Amino acid sequence: MTKAVHTKHAPAAIGPYSQGIIVNNMFYSSGQIPLTAAGEMVNGEITEQTHQVFSNLKAVLEEAGASFETVVKATVFIADMEQFGEVNEVYGQYFNTHKPARSCVEVARLPKDALVEIEVIALVK
């Protein structure tokens, strides 16, 4: 069973992809950048951008029937590894007791010049 996930509570896909896909009982999100559900970029500091990314992730996870507590893997892409500490601090607010596996990679550039992008894999309840 494969099902595309779409919610109006997160930004619409800005290309030929979906916000996420459910395959059997696993949810695979597309990378979320700090766009609001209305499609406006949050141009603040990395902490503000990271909170918006988590707001988007929460919306797509809920639409998929998953949650932060069912995330098994997260991948974090950041534009500047010097900001890892700030991203990690915000990340820890969302994954404080449940700690999924994680990778963090510095990249040369992110869509819309975002400072952070995060994707997750989660079990669907």
Side-chain angles (χ1 to χ4, degrees):
M1 171 188 132
T2 301
K3 177 185 170 194
V5 171
H6 173 74
T7 177
K8 63 181 180 179
H9 300 292
I14 54 175
Y17 60 90
S18 58
Q19 292 169 323
I21 295 285
I22 298 170
V23 179
N24 298 323
N25 66 335
M26 297 299 294
F27 171 65
Y28 301 84
S29 81
S30 290
Q32 293 294 318
I33 62 172
L35 286 174
T36 65
E40 296 176 17
M41 189 70 174
V42 172
N43 289 315
E45 300 291 323
I46 188 123
T47 55
E48 295 171 76
Q49 287 198 11
T50 306
H51 279 295
Q52 182 61 51
V53 167
F54 273 99
S55 176
N56 296 342
L57 287 170
K58 182 177 191 251
V60 295
L61 282 163
E62 287 176 354
E63 185 67 23
S67 69
F68 289 127
E69 290 75 33
T70 66
V71 170
V72 296
K73 174 74 166 72
T75 305
V76 180
F77 304 94
I78 59 176
D80 182 358
M81 194 60 82
E82 293 294 321
Q83 296 180 312
F84 174 77
E86 295 160 89
V87 171
N88 201 44
E89 185 176 318
V90 174
Y91 182 97
Q93 294 173 28
Y94 296 89
F95 294 116
N96 51 24
T97 54
H98 171 69
K99 295 176 173 62
R102 178 180 76 182
S103 299
C104 183
V105 181
E106 180 182 81
V107 295
R109 192 168 181 201
L110 290 166
K112 299 194 174 278
D113 291 319
L115 301 175
V116 61
E117 178 175 359
I118 301 173
E119 64 184 28
V120 296
I121 300 170
L123 290 167
V124 175
K125 298 176 189 171

